[in-house]
């Protein structure tokens, strides 16, 4: 019985250690308010804003903007042409939080006529969470612009991710306590 208890304790400790190694990547995500205090609006140099920042999988971009603006995720070609006709995703409502869920270049523009060509465009390169290094410039030197608006992040995706991270943390703690008890 004692040997079985020790074996279960060892397994629980190993699982706890694995979860603890995975958790920091999830919990250390950064939330960026696009354009900082200027938010998602005309007159902001989004290339300068993005330069020097390191974007990693799990990070969040918070776009705050007035009713005159929107956020569209687009392809590189549509980003360069400021075309809104083939948007991958489109958002409006004054506050949009986008979780960067995959590596590679991501492109965002304002869907209001003339705003993208006026500078309301943002391009970022997303690295894996474990290998993120600061990027001196956005992908293919995109120009980014930020607008003023309140930074709220109460989207269902953010809540779901937060809930999932909490469950993982709780399970990890249970395994840790079990490991201590069994050893």
């Amino acid at each position: 019985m004692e040997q079985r208890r020790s074996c279960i304790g060892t397994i629980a400790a190993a699982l706890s250690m694995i979860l603890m190694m995975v958790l920091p990547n999830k919990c250390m995500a950064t939330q960026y308010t696009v354009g900082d205090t200027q938010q998602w609006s005309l007159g902001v140099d989004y290339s300068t804003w993005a330069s020097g920042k390191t974007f990693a999988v799990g990070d969040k971009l918070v776009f705050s903007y007035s009713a005159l603006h929107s956020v569209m995720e687009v392809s590189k070609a549509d980003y360069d042409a400021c075309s809104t006709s083939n948007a991958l995703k489109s958002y409006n409502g004054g506050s949009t939080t986008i979780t960067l869920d995959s590596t590679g270049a991501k492109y965002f523009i304002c869907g209001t006529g003339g705003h993208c060509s006026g500078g309301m465009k943002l391009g970022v390169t997303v690295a894996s969470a474990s290998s993120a290094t600061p990027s001196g410039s956005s992908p293919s030197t995109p120009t980014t612009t930020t607008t003023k608006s309140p930074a709220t992040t109460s989207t269902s995706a953010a809540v779901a991710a937060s809930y999932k991270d909490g469950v993982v943390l709780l399970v990890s703690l249970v395994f840790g306590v079990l490991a201590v008890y069994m050893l």
Side-chain angles (χ1 to χ4, degrees):
M1 178 70 165
E2 189 64 33
Q3 185 178 16
R4 183 174 187 207
R5 202 165 130 184
S6 178
C7 182
I8 292 172
T10 303
I11 292 170
L15 285 173
S16 180
M17 296 287 278
I18 291 168
L19 288 173
M20 292 297 215
M21 289 187 311
V22 170
L23 252 163
N25 288 338
K26 293 270 189 198
C27 296
M28 295 175 71
T30 302
Q31 181 171 300
Y32 295 96
T33 299
V34 176
D36 296 324
T37 59
Q38 294 176 312
Q39 302 175 334
W40 185 240
S41 62
L42 288 167
V44 179
D45 182 350
Y46 293 102
S47 292
T48 300
W49 176 83
S51 69
K53 289 180 175 57
T54 302
F55 300 99
V57 171
D59 287 351
K60 294 174 179 19
L61 296 178
V62 178
F63 291 84
S64 296
Y65 48 96
S66 72
L68 296 174
H69 305 296
S70 65
V71 178
M72 300 179 99
E73 185 172 352
V74 296
S75 68
K76 168 83 167 100
D78 287 341
Y79 174 87
D80 291 340
C82 285
S83 173
T84 60
S85 60
N86 299 309
L88 304 172
K89 295 179 184 169
S90 184
Y91 309 91
N92 55 36
S95 182
T96 300
T97 300
I98 298 173
T99 300
L100 301 173
D101 57 4
S102 62
T103 60
K106 308 288 182 194
Y107 301 96
F108 305 94
I109 64 174
C110 179
T112 303
H115 288 196
C116 175
S117 58
M120 280 187 76
K121 55 196 286 185
L122 168 66
V124 299
T125 299
V126 182
S128 66
S130 60
S131 66
T133 56
S135 57
S137 64
S138 302
S140 304
T141 324
T143 307
T144 51
T145 310
T146 307
T147 309
K148 279 193 173 184
S149 64
T152 52
T153 60
S154 60
T155 65
S156 58
V159 171
S162 177
Y163 176 77
K164 188 169 109 180
D165 290 344
V167 170
V168 170
L169 179 60
L170 180 62
V171 169
S172 177
L173 290 172
V174 167
F175 277 121
V177 169
L178 182 61
V180 169
Y181 175 74
M182 295 301 229
L183 293 175

